[in-house]
Amino acid sequence: MTYLALGSLLVLVAIVVRAIAEVVARRRGHRIPLLPTVLAAAALVALTAVFDTAMIAAGLFAYADAHVSGLRIGLAPVEDFSYPIALAIALPGLWELAGERRADAES
């Protein structure tokens, strides 16, 4: 399995989690705001570009050419960006899904 396929699968799972959480949020009478997700994703992508490039340049790790697409941002393959994007998509959804448990625990 290539890193691109693995990263795409991860982003797909994150989108499904977010969609389920959005349905739950609407049933609770609100929505999960999109702007914070976009801002978090942008910040995480920027940080990933800077720090992955620095770590690759320092020789801390490398990628086998057979498993990457060849597209890069700095020295980081685009596949590396799927992880922070998936987290930015999924975490607000997971927080929403955990909301009922949080409310029960506070009671």
Side-chain angles (χ1 to χ4, degrees):
M1 178 177 275
T2 65
Y3 295 128
L4 185 59
L6 183 62
S8 298
L9 181 62
L10 181 64
V11 171
L12 179 62
V13 168
I15 290 169
V16 169
V17 167
R18 178 68 176 252
I20 291 168
E22 188 64 43
V23 169
V24 170
R26 286 183 184 181
R27 286 185 183 161
R28 292 178 180 166
H30 63 279
R31 296 189 58 157
I32 301 171
L34 183 61
L35 183 60
T37 299
V38 172
L39 294 175
L44 290 171
V45 165
L47 290 168
T48 300
V50 170
F51 290 106
D52 275 17
T53 295
M55 289 186 291
I56 292 168
L60 296 177
F61 58 91
Y63 293 94
D65 289 334
H67 298 292
V68 295
S69 66
L71 298 172
R72 295 180 182 272
I73 298 175
L75 296 177
V78 293
E79 294 87 347
D80 266 8
F81 295 91
S82 62
Y83 307 109
I85 290 170
L87 287 173
I89 292 169
L91 285 178
L94 292 171
W95 184 259
E96 178 64 36
L97 293 173
E100 190 172 301
R101 292 183 184 174
R102 288 192 318 267
D104 289 343
E106 291 173 1
S107 301

